[in-house]
Amino acid sequence: MALKITQDCINCDVCEPVCPNEAIYQGIEIYEIDPDRCTECVGHFDKPQCQTVCPVACIPLDPEREETQDELRAKYQRLTGHTP
């Protein structure tokens, strides 16, 4: 699954710079995650870095974007050209 940022976001700016896929960007009101770029940090880290640094825990899995680990690895490979 891709991750998503909820309305609980306080725009603290800590999630965007830790995203290795540059999937996080400033939206109109809060930060948002591009689900086509989010791999839940598969291929980069053991845990999603945005969730790790978020002080208000507002970055859950997006149930509308279910993806298997194989699909996340394939997305990582497509984005980076590397095999995880």
Side-chain angles (χ1 to χ4, degrees):
M1 290 184 189
L3 300 167
K4 68 177 184 176
I5 298 175
T6 68
Q7 292 297 319
D8 294 332
C9 176
I10 59 172
N11 289 312
C12 66
D13 303 317
V14 298
C15 61
E16 181 196 23
V18 299
C19 180
N21 296 317
E22 299 179 352
I24 300 174
Y25 61 95
Q26 179 63 55
I28 295 172
E29 293 182 26
I30 60 172
Y31 278 91
E32 297 181 25
I33 297 177
D34 179 348
D36 294 327
R37 297 193 64 83
C38 178
T39 63
E40 297 177 42
C41 289
V42 166
H44 296 281
F45 301 101
D46 291 336
K47 295 181 180 181
Q49 296 302 287
C50 60
Q51 286 181 329
T52 302
V53 299
C54 181
V56 293
C58 69
I59 309 175
L61 292 171
D62 184 349
E64 295 179 17
R65 298 287 299 205
E66 290 189 36
E67 295 171 290
T68 66
Q69 287 294 306
D70 287 339
E71 290 171 320
L72 292 170
R73 280 191 285 278
K75 189 190 303 186
Y76 165 82
Q77 188 171 8
R78 186 183 81 248
L79 291 169
T80 66
H82 298 105
T83 303

